[in-house]
Amino acid sequence: MSIRVAVLGAKGRMGAEACKAISETKDLELVAQIDIGDSLDLLVSSAAQVVVDFTHPDAVMKNLEFAINNGINVVVGTTGFDEAKLAQIKSWLANHSKVGALIAPNFGLGAVLMMQFAAKASKYFDSVEIIELHHPNKADAPSGTATRTAEMITDARRSVKKAAMPDATSSAIDGARGALVGEVPVHSVRLRGLVAHQEVILGDLGETLTIRHDSIDRTGFMPGVLLGIRSVVSHSGLTYGLEHFMDLN
Ligand code: NAP
């Protein structure tokens, strides 16, 4: 039997792409396309089992509260989640033990793998820095993906008690060494012609390793969105990050 899926933010760039991908997928049924001004009651009247949210950081919490309280699983691509918002979602889920919520900062399977590989590799190198490169219309710097990668690398390095990275810089122009996220310097490039790219450069005596991911088109997020939809129906509670639905051992 197919999974009944609704999309919130259906007229947006990501939402429209998600609607197309879902409607072209045999084991999924697109039952509602909701955008600003439409009633959330459509989620209930369409008997959606999963709602995919690609709206706006200011709108997403209200949507999630409604969906969870109505027993609907959620797959969320909208960005801007912090500890307080995640705790709020957990508290809603606590009253609905069968409902699953996936919050995925990045649905790109390649991007998720890049983050995982980088974190694993960082245990074996003295130095690691991140360069993220995006189109010039991006509002936030560093990107959410770069921030998450830096956090994962910091955790991995701390787990093996890596010493501080070597860096003899004693004078620098502000920003020249990037922004420090955890232990990792992150450099943000904003350049006409780019889409969304990231390099993690690792270095040790006599060798370097560069792990690079390029997001070329929004279609690249769709296999991850479909994986999220299929997985969330059998995973109740809060899942943060698509990697938990991937076999990475
Ligand atoms: P977008 O083109 O602006 O689309 C958002 C859509 O949601 C718009 O049609 C917007 O309507 C609508 N909307 C706003 N509030 C709503 C509400 N309360 N209920 C229903 N619809 C509402 O943005 P986008 O590029 O698709 O990105 C959407 C979100 O996904 C952003 O947070 C972005 O950072 C994130 N994103 C995540 C990933 C990932 O892999 N996790 C990848 C790409 C983007 P109006 O235009 O009328 O306001």
Side-chain angles (χ1 to χ4, degrees):
M1 231 178 42
S2 55
I3 303 171
R4 299 173 63 82
V5 189
V7 174
L8 275 166
K11 291 185 184 159
R13 289 163 291 197
M14 287 294 287
E17 202 63 55
C19 288
K20 184 166 176 284
I22 293 161
S23 57
E24 289 171 354
T25 302
K26 271 203 180 116
D27 60 326
L28 306 180
E29 186 183 350
L30 183 62
V31 294
Q33 303 182 51
I34 303 170
D35 207 89
I36 200 150
D38 297 330
S39 168
L40 288 175
D41 291 334
L42 281 167
L43 293 176
V44 177
S45 60
S46 65
Q49 294 166 275
V50 178
V51 58
V52 176
D53 189 299
F54 280 111
T55 57
H56 189 276
D58 296 341
V60 64
M61 291 302 277
K62 183 174 64 73
N63 297 340
L64 298 190
E65 182 177 20
F66 182 93
I68 293 167
N69 284 340
N70 282 283
I72 304 168
N73 303 291
V74 296
V75 169
V76 184
T78 307
T79 42
F81 284 88
D82 56 18
E83 287 301 327
K85 286 184 178 176
L86 294 176
Q88 176 67 76
I89 294 167
K90 271 188 198 160
S91 79
W92 292 329
L93 287 167
N95 299 322
H96 300 275
S97 60
K98 289 187 179 152
V99 178
L102 166 67
I103 313 286
N106 198 318
F107 278 109
L109 298 180
V112 173
L113 290 171
M114 175 259 298
M115 289 188 254
Q116 295 287 323
F117 295 159
K120 282 203 165 83
S122 68
K123 294 180 181 177
Y124 301 98
F125 288 83
D126 277 354
S127 305
V128 51
E129 305 212 5
I130 295 173
I131 306 173
E132 57 94 339
L133 313 92
H134 282 83
H135 59 83
N137 300 325
K138 187 170 175 57
D140 52 325
S143 69
T145 299
T147 302
R148 180 82 189 113
T149 312
E151 289 168 354
M152 288 167 65
I153 289 172
T154 300
D155 288 347
R157 287 174 59 88
R158 286 182 182 158
S159 74
V160 293
K161 299 190 168 49
K162 284 295 274 186
M165 295 185 210
D167 183 358
T169 308
S170 58
S171 80
I173 296 175
D174 223 15
R177 293 290 291 115
L180 209 58
V181 180
E183 297 178 355
V184 185
V186 181
H187 310 269
S188 297
V189 177
R190 297 291 174 264
L191 202 77
R192 184 83 63 213
L194 294 178
V195 184
H197 319 263
Q198 179 166 307
E199 281 185 16
V200 182
I201 308 174
L202 303 115
D204 212 308
L205 290 175
E207 65 171 350
T208 67
L209 169 67
T210 302
I211 301 171
R212 180 177 171 113
H213 175 258
D214 295 280
S215 194
I216 295 149
D217 188 273
R218 281 187 194 88
T219 52
F221 295 114
M222 293 308 127
V225 172
L226 301 182
L227 173 66
I229 294 168
R230 292 184 182 117
S231 305
V232 79
V233 288
S234 55
H235 289 81
S236 58
L238 178 66
T239 303
Y240 184 73
L242 192 63
E243 62 272 21
H244 299 291
F245 291 161
M246 295 167 72
D247 181 10
L248 295 172
N249 294 321

